[in-house]
Amino acid sequence: MCREGIDLVTLKVALKHCAERLRQEADHLRQWSALASNANLAEVSGRIAQALDQVNNSEEAVSWCVHQLAALQVGGTTGGTGGVTITPI
């Protein structure tokens, strides 16, 4: 999903919602892993645990982006190498 002319706040909010969905999915994966383990499906449980690690890493990365966008929203930028200047609101 991409929009032209997206603003900083919209992007931050969208990523915040994405991070929340990833946290919910991580919780679901924990439950599925436990269920597979209880059903003596160790290999399946292990693969789910690997997927859980990846989802947790993704959530951390997206949360980092949210914090960076919040910092830009408060402090702004000087333009840098990207040619974009963000003026704090």
Side-chain angles (χ1 to χ4, degrees):
M1 176 193 305
C2 183
R3 293 187 204 171
E4 284 189 38
I6 191 166
D7 65 288
L8 187 64
V9 174
T10 303
L11 180 59
K12 183 184 74 171
V13 170
L15 290 175
K16 192 172 183 180
H17 289 294
C18 181
E20 179 57 35
R21 286 191 307 271
L22 286 168
R23 277 192 284 285
Q24 290 173 355
E25 288 304 322
D27 186 49
H28 294 160
L29 285 171
R30 262 186 230 94
Q31 293 175 23
W32 288 119
S33 180
L35 180 65
S37 181
N38 289 341
N40 295 323
L41 299 168
E43 189 173 338
V44 172
S45 179
R47 293 290 288 197
I48 294 171
Q50 290 174 352
L52 174 59
D53 288 340
Q54 292 174 349
V55 169
N56 283 331
N57 290 338
S58 298
E59 188 274 328
E60 288 173 11
V62 172
S63 291
W64 180 88
C65 292
V66 171
H67 292 305
Q68 287 298 109
L69 290 170
L72 288 173
Q73 186 178 356
V74 172
T77 65
T78 59
T81 59
V84 175
T85 301
I86 298 174
T87 306
I89 56 173

